[in-house]
Amino acid sequence: MFRALAISFIICLSASMAIAQKAGNSGYCLMRVFDVNKFAASGSGFIGSRIIITFETGDQEIVELEPYNEKTEAENLKKVILTLNKLKEKGYLLMSANSTGEQGNIVTDYVLLKQAY
């Protein structure tokens, strides 16, 4: 009986360690998209159009975008979608998205969760 109990304990401990190890591989990522037209970007309070990704480790990646206008809107949207798809391939799942700002300066935040495998 003691042997069966010890084996059960070892199995439960191993499963708990595996779950804890998987949980250590997850975390949140923030992808912030700055959609800024050239006029607004020239002011002192705005930065240029870009995507800034901050990973759960604190590492960051920047993807440059063209200043927003009718001609660049489609290409910038393609870059946003390509970036979201790359994050999905890395195991991130989109949790929420929201936009704030005013005409000429829109900031969109995408919160993603890295799935533990």
Side-chain angles (χ1 to χ4, degrees), residues 75 77-87 89:
E75 286 303 313
L77 287 174
K78 286 179 189 177
K79 283 186 180 181
V80 170
I81 291 298
L82 286 172
T83 305
L84 282 170
N85 282 326
K86 285 179 185 177
L87 290 170
E89 289 172 6

Side-chain angles (χ1 to χ4, degrees), residues 66-80:
E66 294 296 321
Y68 177 82
N69 63 43
E70 294 172 357
K71 295 177 184 175
T72 62
E73 180 181 14
E75 286 303 313
N76 283 349
L77 287 174
K78 286 179 189 177
K79 283 186 180 181
V80 170

Side-chain angles (χ1 to χ4, degrees), residues 36-100:
V36 183
N37 69 27
K38 190 178 270 188
F39 176 74
S42 65
S44 62
F46 300 109
I47 66 169
S49 293
R50 65 185 58 157
I51 300 169
I52 300 175
I53 305 166
T54 304
F55 295 96
E56 70 277 4
T57 60
D59 294 336
Q60 288 188 315
E61 182 180 323
I62 296 175
V63 178
E64 295 296 333
L65 298 173
E66 294 296 321
Y68 177 82
N69 63 43
E70 294 172 357
K71 295 177 184 175
T72 62
E73 180 181 14
E75 286 303 313
N76 283 349
L77 287 174
K78 286 179 189 177
K79 283 186 180 181
V80 170
I81 291 298
L82 286 172
T83 305
L84 282 170
N85 282 326
K86 285 179 185 177
L87 290 170
K88 181 182 176 228
E89 289 172 6
K90 291 181 178 183
Y92 291 93
L93 178 67
L94 181 62
M95 303 302 290
S96 70
N98 67 350
S99 294
T100 59

